[in-house]
Amino acid sequence: MWKGRFTEETHETVRRFTQSLDVDWRLAAADIRGSVAHVRMLAHIGLLTPEEARTLEEHLFAIGRDIDAGILVPKESLEDVHMNIEAALIERCGSLGAKLHAGRSRNDQVATTMRLFLREALLDVWGRLEVLLETLQQKAGEHRDVVVPGYTHLQQAQPISMGQYWMAYFWAFLRDAERLLAAYHSCDACPLGAGALAGSTLPLDREFTARDLGFSRITENSMDSVAQRDYLLDVHYFFVSFGLHASRLAEDLIIYSSTEFGWIELPDAFCTGSSIMPQKKNPDVLELLRGKAGQFVGHMTDLMVSVKGLPLTYNRDLQEDKRGLWASFEVYFQILSVLPDLLARVGVSAEKARRGFSDGFIFATDVAEYLVGRGIPFREAHEKVGRLVRWCVEEKRALTGLSSDEWRRLLPEAEADLPGLLVPETSVERRKTLGGTSPEQVRWQQAQGMDALNGLRETFRGKKEILSGT
Ligand code: ARG
C-alpha cells in the first residue's frame, strides 16, 4: 500500500511482527460498516457519483458476506483488517475501489471501527449483567426474612436479613451497569474524518457519517480523536469494577460456606471434589471467579501503561490496545456464564446461622441503643454494655441467657421488655432506618432497585434500537 516511497520489500519477520490480524480480524463487520458510511459521505459531497457509491457499497457488503462464510481469509502480508478489506475491494472493482480511502487514514478508521464494534459488544455485556441483577433481586425476595450474622472485620457484628446482603450486591452491580452506560457514552462519538491527525483538505461532512452510523455525536478535535484511548479505559474500568465486586461476592460465599461458618449451602453441581480426600466439597467455581477477576485489573493496567507518556498523536503502540480488552470480554462472559445460575441455587441454613447468635453478643448494640432510648448518653450506654459483655465472657454466660434478677443487678436501667427484643428476627425488624436491614426496608430497596433496573433496561433498549436502525 505504501510501495511508492520504498526501495525494498518489508522484511518477512517485520510483517509478522507488525501485523494485527490476530486481534483485529473480528472487527471486519464493523470496519465494513464504517467504510460504507464513508462511501455514502463521499457521494454526498460529490467525490463519488451515486452509481460509484452504490457499486462500492454492494461490493463492501459482499466482502462482508464472504468473510462470514469463510471464503475470504485475511493475508498476513496485508497487515491488518483495514488493509485486507480495502485490498479485497480494489481486487473486485479496480480503480474505483482505490477511491475508498480518500480523506481517511487508518488512524481515524481504527478509532471508528473500535467504537462501532464496542457499541454492539457493550449491549451484549449489558444483557448478561441484567440477568445477574434479576437474580440478585430474586434472592433478596427469597431470603428477606432469613436472619444471618453480619460481619465487620470478619467478626460477628449485628444480625442482618440475608435479603439485605443480596441487595448490597445488587446495588454494587447496578452502579456497574451505570459505569457500563458511561463507557457506552464514551464510545458513542464518531472520530471519522479526523484523518491521520489533522483533518482533511477535502470537504468531508463528518456529521453525515456520524448520523449514518447512528453515533450520538462527533469527536471535537482531530488530534484527540486518533491519539486517545480513554474511551477504552472507560470500558476497562467497568470490567475492573465489576470484577472487584464479583470477587468479593465469591470470597464471602467461600467463607460463609466453610465448615467454620457453615450457614451458606452451595449447590453440589457447582462444586468439585478432591482426588484424595473423599469428604471434600470444594468451591472451585467461586475460587476461579475470584482468581479470574484479577485479569481485569491487569488488562486495564496494561493499557494505562501503554498510553502513559505517549506523545501525541497516533503511535503504533496503540495497536496493542485490543489484546487485553478482548481477553477481558472473554473473562467477563465466562464469569457470567456461571455466576447467576450458581447464585440462584445458593441456600441458607437458618438453623446454622442461628448458632452465630448463641452467645447473644451480636445484640450488644441493640442493648446500648435501648439505653439511649431511656435517656442515657450513648457513650455511657456503650461502656455499661461493654462491662456487661465482659462479665458474660468471664462467667461464660450468654447475653441472651440472663435471668431477670441478673438483668436488674447488672443493668438496672433495663426494664422487663428488653430480653424480648434480643431475638434475631426482632433485632432485624427494628432496624427500620432507610436502607436498613429490616425486611420492610429490604422490600423498599427491592422496589427502588426494580425502578432503577427498568430505567436501565429502557435506556439500553433505546441504544439497541438506534443501532438496529443503522
Ligand atoms: N492496525 C493499526 C491499529 O490497530 C491500524 C492503524 C495503523 N496506523 C498506522 N499509522 N500505522 O492501530
Side-chain angles (χ1 to χ4, degrees):
M1 291 277 177
W2 44 71
K3 56 184 184 290
R5 164 74 177 74
F6 287 73
T7 56
E8 54 173 359
E9 286 285 310
T10 313
H11 195 286
E12 185 54 34
T13 56
V14 171
R15 269 192 200 148
R16 186 138 302 154
F17 188 71
T18 54
Q19 69 81 31
S20 54
L21 285 161
D22 57 326
V23 288
D24 66 20
W25 190 237
R26 74 183 69 194
L27 299 173
D31 197 63
I32 286 172
R33 185 60 190 85
S35 289
V36 166
H38 188 64
V39 162
R40 289 174 182 170
M41 185 275 293
L42 290 177
H44 176 70
I45 61 171
L47 287 182
L48 290 173
T49 66
E51 183 54 36
E52 285 175 325
R54 218 173 3 259
T55 308
L56 285 172
E57 189 172 324
E58 274 161 18
H59 276 100
L60 280 166
F61 282 132
I63 287 169
R65 286 193 295 275
D66 289 354
I67 290 171
D68 281 346
I71 299 166
L72 200 164
V73 288
K75 293 193 190 85
E76 192 183 86
S77 57
L78 291 171
E79 204 173 284
D80 60 19
V81 62
H82 321 292
M83 302 286 249
N84 268 276
I85 290 169
E86 194 186 344
L89 189 70
I90 292 171
E91 198 180 293
R92 292 173 191 211
C93 39
S95 64
L96 175 58
K99 289 190 166 186
L100 169 70
H101 210 52
R104 195 175 70 167
S105 153
R106 275 186 297 160
N107 297 350
D108 61 340
Q109 187 179 356
V110 71
T112 308
T113 298
M114 280 295 275
R115 288 160 182 263
L116 285 171
F117 181 87
L118 286 170
R119 286 191 316 179
E120 297 269 359
L122 294 185
L123 292 182
D124 293 340
V125 166
W126 161 246
R128 304 313 301 241
L129 196 56
E130 187 182 356
V131 175
L132 179 63
L133 290 167
E134 282 162 2
T135 308
L136 287 165
Q137 273 275 354
Q138 274 159 20
K139 297 307 281 186
E142 184 186 334
H143 292 149
R144 198 168 43 226
D145 297 314
V146 179
V147 179
V148 298
Y151 305 88
T152 61
H153 312 267
L154 205 52
Q155 308 287 322
Q156 280 179 18
Q158 293 176 357
I160 57 159
S161 148
M162 190 60 191
Q164 176 77 343
Y165 175 86
W166 294 124
M167 284 310 287
Y169 278 106
F170 173 88
W171 292 112
F173 287 120
L174 189 90
R175 289 193 300 281
D176 288 336
E178 280 157 5
R179 289 185 180 97
L180 179 64
L181 198 56
Y184 187 99
H185 181 74
S186 297
C187 293
D188 196 17
C190 187
L192 199 59
L197 78 163
S200 176
T201 59
L202 301 171
L204 307 180
D205 186 340
R206 292 192 59 207
E207 299 282 3
F208 182 97
T209 22
R211 220 177 306 120
D212 189 67
L213 294 170
F215 279 109
S216 67
R217 62 195 193 283
I218 60 166
T219 56
E220 298 84 354
N221 178 293
S222 61
M223 296 176 78
D224 178 51
S225 302
V226 296
Q228 297 297 358
R229 291 295 182 267
D230 47 315
Y231 66 101
L232 297 184
L233 288 174
D234 289 343
V235 176
H236 277 290
Y237 182 58
F238 158 75
F239 283 134
V240 166
S241 181
F242 166 82
L244 298 181
H245 290 148
S247 72
R248 293 182 73 171
L249 171 60
E251 172 69 347
D252 281 344
L253 297 181
I254 291 168
I255 292 173
Y256 302 161
S257 64
S258 68
T259 311
E260 285 71 12
F261 284 70
W263 50 266
I264 279 280
E265 289 156 351
L266 299 177
D268 279 6
F270 287 81
C271 293
T272 52
S274 156
S275 59
I276 173 169
M277 297 167 280
Q279 87 284 11
K280 291 300 288 290
K281 175 177 158 183
N282 294 327
D284 294 38
V285 172
L286 292 168
E287 291 168 49
L288 274 169
L289 209 149
R290 185 180 59 188
K292 283 174 189 285
Q295 295 176 38
F296 296 128
V297 180
H299 297 143
M300 180 166 185
T301 307
D302 180 10
L303 180 59
M304 290 195 291
V305 172
S306 292
V307 296
K308 181 190 172 294
L310 199 67
L312 247 54
T313 55
Y314 181 86
N315 298 271
R316 198 59 178 271
D317 317 40
L318 294 176
Q319 180 167 288
E320 288 298 316
D321 63 359
K322 298 166 195 69
R323 207 174 301 279
L325 188 60
W326 300 157
S328 282
F329 271 97
E330 196 181 323
V331 171
Y332 173 83
F333 286 118
Q334 277 176 10
I335 290 176
L336 284 179
S337 72
V338 292
L339 186 56
D341 291 340
L342 184 152
L343 293 182
R345 296 186 50 195
V346 165
V348 178
S349 164
E351 190 205 314
K352 287 186 180 162
R354 222 161 246 285
R355 281 191 219 145
F357 309 125
S358 57
D359 61 15
F361 295 161
I362 204 162
F363 303 116
T365 316
D366 298 51
V367 179
E369 288 184 355
Y370 173 91
L371 297 180
V372 168
R374 297 213 161 19
I376 299 176
F378 180 73
R379 280 289 154 230
E380 274 173 40
H382 188 285
E383 199 187 326
K384 282 178 198 291
V385 181
R387 272 201 299 268
L388 176 62
V389 170
R390 194 175 71 203
W391 183 87
C392 289
V393 171
E394 281 163 5
E395 300 295 319
K396 298 198 169 51
R397 298 288 301 279
L399 188 62
T400 38
L402 303 180
S403 68
S404 30
D405 275 356
E406 283 168 328
W407 275 117
R408 254 193 302 280
R409 184 160 54 83
L410 297 164
L411 198 66
E413 298 84 350
E415 287 168 41
D417 60 338
L418 175 63
L421 301 177
L422 309 185
V423 173
E425 286 70 24
T426 312
S427 168
V428 166
E429 264 159 35
R430 295 179 67 231
R431 290 186 158 76
K432 290 187 204 298
T433 31
L434 277 179
T437 190
S438 70
E440 168 200 306
Q441 281 304 313
V442 173
R443 199 186 290 276
W444 173 79
Q445 289 176 54
Q446 285 187 275
Q448 300 289 306
M450 262 320 195
D451 285 350
L453 179 54
N454 287 332
L456 279 162
R457 278 195 185 110
E458 210 41 58
T459 307
F460 279 108
R461 194 176 307 131
K463 309 269 179 226
K464 199 174 201 116
E465 262 164 37
I466 291 171
L467 295 200
S468 57
T470 60

